[in-house]
Amino acid sequence: MSGHWGILVSDPWLQNQFTQVELRSLKSHFMSMRRESGRLVIADLASKMSRLKVVGENLSEEERASCVKDLYQNTEEEVEFELFLKVYLKLQTFANSRTGSSPKNSSAFLKAATTTLLHTISESEKASYVAHINHYLAKDEFLKKYLPIDPSTNELFEIAKDGVLLCKLINVAVPGTIDERAINTKRILNPWERNENHTLCLNSAKAIGCTVVNIGTQDFIEGRRHLVLGVISQIIKIQLLADLDLKKTPQLLELLDDSKDMEELMNLPPEKILLRWMNFHLKKAGYKKIVTNFSSDVKDAEAYAHLLNVLAPEYTNPSTLAIKNPFERAKLVLEHADKMGCKRYLTARDIVEGSPNLNLAFVAHIFQHRNGLSAQTKQQMSLLETFPDDTQDSREERAFRLWMNSFGNSAYINNVFEDLRNGWVLLETLDKVSPGIVNWKIANKPPIKMPFRKVENCNQVVKIGKQLKFSLVNVAGNDIVQGNKKLILAYLWQLMRYNILQLLKNLRFHSRGKEITDADILEWANSKVSSSGSQSRMDSFKDKSLSDGIFFLELLSSVQPRAVNWGLVTKGVTDQEKKMNATYIISIARKLGCSIFLLPEDITEVNQKMILTLTASIMSWCLKHPHEERTVGTSDNESVSQLETTSNSTLDDSASDSSVDESGNM
């Protein structure tokens, strides 16, 4: 147990209820609540704890107030952190008893699995994910000696301890995310190498859309089952939903009644598209109900019976719909799915118990293998061609979206142009980037029905932007409410850049409050590379010579000499060589501890904004680890010693209680 725990919590019982990262997250919430009103008393907790998961979502303010009042008579007593934790645990227990929460829904796909504090896992989910891993990684040269994994044991968590399995699984979900040359794959890894793999895994998971706010490398090393399974479930979800995208599956246009609805369909999150697809076929089958979730609406297996009858009528069994017992019907549904080659991810018991994770996985798997949509038509192609090719904007939207999601806000952002229109998540992000800057007393919490309430939130977003000296000429809150793409992208870039510069300013103690500028970052990078004896130099963040990647490899090598294996570096002459170098750069930076969201194309095409974020993230890491440059040739014992102080390099270990997320977030 590290000394940092002792500072946060002295009560041994409380220490055992939370992971180190969970404590930091809750401490940050606690400090934010106390800062809002100057002091925090027991009477305040019912309203202020609405922002916490489980407690906020499953209990009304009246229920929270009643529970707190039963526990503590003196509601004017000032709340210290340990009392805050005890109240939280009591309310969480009450919420779980009210909702009937059990191990079966503790790591749900449909919520950020890693932000719940329930330390239980579903054996059914574990077995399902193990089967997925055994199938998709069976031929992997390194892992095949460990596979197949036995789902009835804890073998999965033991194998995951060296970090290789999860890195490989990320590449199955989103091919090319991790340059496998950057993964440490020796038979026996020392603690330093294992930690590097976990750091690479966590930063890459964030970069494909996983929520990993409450997870550190130590959680993987210790094999914390609920956290490991939470990350695995998110990775598998991303893989299974990958085709629910109009660009990848243009046939989805068949779901539209009117071509005017195309933009709406493009902006829907993949789970919603999957439900729409399912209801499209159910309507054809004459099924009268609308399926709105992957839990209670499919428990009786009737919807599945109708869906499979439409998709594979050749295997229809009249008994499936005639039978009265839902469990028996579920078994017949799975027999039908098996004949289609789609019996995967769940059992009949999982159907009748309404497991949202596994039902979602089952339906997504069916969609991948037999979606029942017509072949792509010329009309569909011409419709898609009417939409502008905004590749650059799409890449920037992706980077900003993933960056915002990495903060673990209350709502997951699927599309910044749609999901930010009520202003709430923008306010949450602003509060994390500049704690205390948001006036929550005048903010309107979702769901927001009245349009002018959304405008009020967005007006505050614009006002704060001006306070932070963003360039917002002629920008009003209504522009965000209307989803003005150009203005939203401009705002998000300025917010991201402000975050970067503030983090660097805080790390450069000798700056004495002086603002960090783009020029300072440029000068630092050139100085670092020059001090390593190289002649390479970048004239600006749009210097076209950066496209070969050599400068960034030399920069990474200068801050951590053991980071780059120069035997794997290409000359960067051809487009293919440039892309190989760019992919390697991103993986090496993430392996060090840089939380970055750019793509290889951003380096090869020298995207000025993303080049700045990359350089600044490397600078941030270097300033946080001033002694890392002397790690060449360290023994394993020395590595262990260093590991103890840097094992959570992607998490905020500073004394500051004002930021939930890690200062390396770029």
Side-chain angles (χ1 to χ4, degrees):
M1 195 175 295
S2 74
H4 196 63
W5 277 54
I7 297 169
L8 288 174
V9 176
S10 58
D11 185 331
W13 181 80
L14 281 173
Q15 290 174 359
N16 290 327
Q17 302 307 306
F18 304 97
T19 67
Q20 187 176 3
V21 184
E22 287 164 352
L23 277 174
R24 290 198 196 109
S25 177
L26 285 166
K27 182 65 179 283
S28 181
H29 280 297
F30 168 74
M31 294 299 290
S32 178
M33 291 175 194
R34 196 161 68 174
R35 205 165 34 242
E36 285 167 12
S37 50
R39 66 194 287 265
L40 188 66
V41 297
I42 286 174
D44 298 329
L45 294 179
S47 61
K48 291 189 180 293
M49 279 191 168
S50 63
R51 66 189 72 172
L52 299 178
K53 274 224 177 269
V54 182
V55 168
E57 292 179 355
N58 298 317
L59 295 175
S60 68
E61 186 169 332
E62 291 74 22
E63 287 169 332
R64 289 193 297 273
S66 174
C67 185
V68 170
K69 196 172 181 181
D70 288 343
L71 293 167
Y72 303 97
Q73 301 306 312
N74 181 10
T75 57
E76 288 306 306
E77 180 184 345
E78 190 155 352
V79 178
E80 295 301 325
F81 184 49
E82 292 196 5
L83 178 57
F84 174 82
L85 292 176
K86 288 173 184 175
V87 174
Y88 177 83
L89 286 171
K90 293 282 188 185
L91 288 173
Q92 186 191 52
T93 303
F94 180 46
N96 292 336
S97 68
R98 287 289 311 280
T99 59
S101 288
S102 68
K104 293 178 182 61
N105 51 27
S106 60
S107 59
F109 266 156
L110 305 180
K111 289 184 184 175
T114 58
T115 59
T116 176
L117 298 179
L118 290 172
H119 296 179
T120 51
I121 67 166
S122 159
E123 289 298 324
S124 189
E125 284 181 28
K126 184 182 78 171
S128 177
Y129 304 152
V130 164
H132 179 98
I133 289 165
N134 286 340
H135 175 76
Y136 283 99
L137 290 171
K139 295 180 181 177
D140 184 87
E141 281 301 315
F142 179 80
L143 290 173
K144 64 183 180 184
K145 55 181 171 284
Y146 302 107
L147 302 180
I149 297 168
D150 182 352
S152 67
T153 68
N154 283 326
E155 201 178 352
L156 169 65
F157 308 108
E158 289 302 313
I159 294 172
K161 283 183 178 180
D162 70 4
V164 178
L165 175 70
L166 293 187
C167 285
K168 300 272 190 177
L169 192 61
I170 286 170
N171 269 357
V172 170
V174 184
T177 298
I178 295 176
D179 188 326
E180 298 207 358
R181 298 173 297 174
I183 305 172
N184 298 321
T185 54
K186 292 190 313 191
R187 179 81 184 186
I188 299 175
L189 300 176
N190 64 39
W192 185 267
E193 292 164 331
R194 196 179 300 123
N195 188 68
E196 285 183 330
N197 279 351
H198 292 313
T199 305
L200 173 59
C201 166
L202 283 173
N203 284 318
S204 300
K206 277 195 273 188
I208 65 169
C210 295
T211 303
V212 294
V213 172
N214 284 346
I215 297 187
T217 56
Q218 197 62 31
D219 295 314
F220 286 133
I221 292 164
E222 293 173 5
R224 290 182 180 272
R225 301 188 310 158
H226 65 293
L227 296 177
V228 173
L229 205 66
V231 173
I232 289 173
S233 72
Q234 292 186 78
I235 295 169
I236 292 174
K237 172 193 173 184
I238 287 165
Q239 177 188 341
L240 291 173
L241 297 178
D243 290 340
L244 285 147
D245 176 278
L246 268 179
K247 290 176 182 174
K248 291 184 179 176
T249 313
Q251 299 95 313
L252 285 166
L253 286 171
E254 195 178 334
L255 306 184
L256 300 178
D257 295 322
D258 188 331
S259 61
K260 293 176 184 176
D261 297 332
M262 188 167 89
E263 188 165 9
E264 180 200 338
L265 184 65
M266 290 182 86
N267 291 332
L268 283 178
E271 296 97 321
K272 298 289 187 188
I273 297 176
L274 190 62
L275 284 169
R276 193 156 171 172
W277 166 81
M278 188 174 177
N279 285 310
F280 171 79
H281 285 305
L282 290 175
K283 186 178 179 182
K284 286 199 292 187
Y287 188 66
K288 302 299 181 190
K289 299 175 188 173
I290 301 291
V291 176
T292 61
N293 59 60
F294 294 104
S295 183
S296 57
D297 286 0
V298 293
K299 275 184 175 183
D300 61 9
E302 282 188 21
Y304 284 153
H306 283 94
L307 177 65
L308 299 187
N309 284 348
V310 170
L311 297 176
E314 66 272 27
Y315 302 125
T316 297
N317 180 345
S319 303
T320 307
L321 286 168
I323 206 164
K324 299 297 181 189
N325 185 315
F327 184 72
E328 294 303 319
R329 185 184 301 118
K331 288 201 288 189
L332 292 176
V333 161
L334 292 179
E335 284 179 18
H336 193 155
D338 193 23
K339 291 171 184 173
M340 295 167 60
C342 295
K343 185 188 176 184
R344 196 176 288 170
Y345 298 110
L346 84 177
T347 63
R349 178 67 56 199
D350 297 321
I351 293 176
V352 298
E353 291 183 351
S355 168
N357 291 9
L358 301 182
N359 278 295
L360 172 62
F362 177 61
V363 178
H365 183 60
I366 293 170
F367 176 85
Q368 280 187 342
H369 288 268
R370 192 181 290 207
N371 62 36
L373 299 173
S374 306
Q376 194 170 321
T377 65
K378 288 182 179 178
Q379 183 184 5
Q380 289 172 351
M381 286 302 295
S382 62
L383 257 178
L384 281 173
E385 285 166 6
T386 63
F387 271 71
D389 180 18
D390 51 357
T391 307
Q392 184 72 25
D393 283 355
S394 295
R395 287 216 303 264
E396 288 189 2
E397 185 274 340
R398 172 193 170 278
F400 300 148
R401 168 168 39 90
L402 294 170
W403 171 70
M404 292 184 76
N405 283 332
S406 75
F407 285 107
N409 292 314
S410 62
Y412 188 86
I413 303 300
N414 289 285
N415 182 305
V416 299
F417 307 126
E418 286 298 310
D419 300 342
L420 300 183
R421 288 166 70 163
N422 65 19
W424 184 259
V425 175
L426 277 169
L427 289 172
E428 287 185 317
T429 306
L430 282 162
D431 195 51
K432 287 168 182 172
V433 167
S434 183
I437 202 164
V438 176
N439 182 352
W440 290 110
K441 291 178 181 175
I442 62 168
N444 303 290
K445 187 177 181 180
I448 304 172
K449 294 180 180 176
M450 303 300 288
F452 75 92
R453 296 291 186 197
K454 298 179 184 179
V455 174
E456 287 177 350
N457 280 354
C458 292
N459 281 341
Q460 188 178 179
V461 167
V462 172
K463 182 182 176 183
I464 293 171
K466 290 176 179 175
Q467 197 177 324
L468 298 176
K469 298 184 170 58
F470 294 178
S471 174
L472 297 170
V473 180
N474 298 325
V475 177
N478 196 48
D479 293 314
I480 299 172
V481 177
Q482 296 299 321
N484 185 311
K485 293 185 178 183
K486 185 178 178 181
L487 293 178
I488 289 172
L489 288 177
Y491 189 99
L492 291 178
W493 164 240
Q494 292 181 84
L495 180 57
M496 191 186 207
R497 182 175 171 276
Y498 174 83
N499 181 223
I500 292 166
L501 298 179
Q502 286 303 112
L503 296 173
L504 291 174
K505 176 185 171 183
N506 293 338
L507 287 167
R508 281 182 71 170
F509 301 111
H510 60 272
S511 66
R512 293 188 177 85
K514 177 177 170 284
E515 298 298 329
I516 300 290
T517 65
D518 294 8
D520 292 328
I521 300 170
L522 187 70
E523 182 186 350
W524 173 85
N526 281 324
S527 173
K528 272 288 171 196
V529 171
S530 176
S531 67
S532 68
S534 171
Q535 301 300 311
S536 295
R537 180 176 180 80
M538 71 169 157
D539 294 329
S540 70
F541 295 114
K542 53 185 177 182
D543 184 339
K544 291 300 180 186
S545 69
L546 297 172
S547 67
D548 63 11
I550 302 299
F551 179 85
F552 288 109
L553 289 163
E554 290 181 335
L555 178 60
L556 287 162
S557 184
S558 72
V559 300
Q560 170 52 285
R562 62 189 286 275
V564 179
N565 180 346
W566 286 98
L568 301 175
V569 176
T570 75
K571 292 180 180 178
V573 176
T574 66
D575 288 346
Q576 181 61 25
E577 286 178 343
K578 288 178 180 179
K579 186 169 184 180
M580 286 176 70
N581 282 353
T583 307
Y584 189 51
I585 289 163
I586 292 170
S587 290
I588 290 298
R590 286 178 180 151
K591 185 176 174 180
L592 279 183
C594 300
S595 186
I596 48 178
F597 302 98
L598 74 168
L599 293 169
E601 292 81 1
D602 291 316
I603 297 176
T604 59
E605 296 171 16
V606 194
N607 178 326
Q608 182 179 358
K609 294 174 185 174
M610 295 301 113
I611 292 290
L612 169 60
T613 66
L614 172 62
T615 313
S617 187
I618 298 169
M619 181 178 177
S620 174
W621 183 88
C622 183
L623 292 174
K624 278 187 292 181
H625 303 84
H627 305 299
E628 296 293 321
E629 295 159 80
R630 297 197 291 273
T631 61
V632 181
T634 55
S635 68
D636 282 359
N637 287 338
E638 288 171 308
S639 293
V640 173
S641 173
Q642 287 169 325
L643 179 62
E644 289 172 356
T645 58
T646 62
S647 65
N648 278 319
S649 59
T650 55
L651 299 163
D652 183 7
D653 232 351
S654 69
S656 168
D657 295 311
S658 61
S659 173
V660 173
D661 207 6
E662 200 280 324
S663 34
N665 262 338
M666 295 292 167

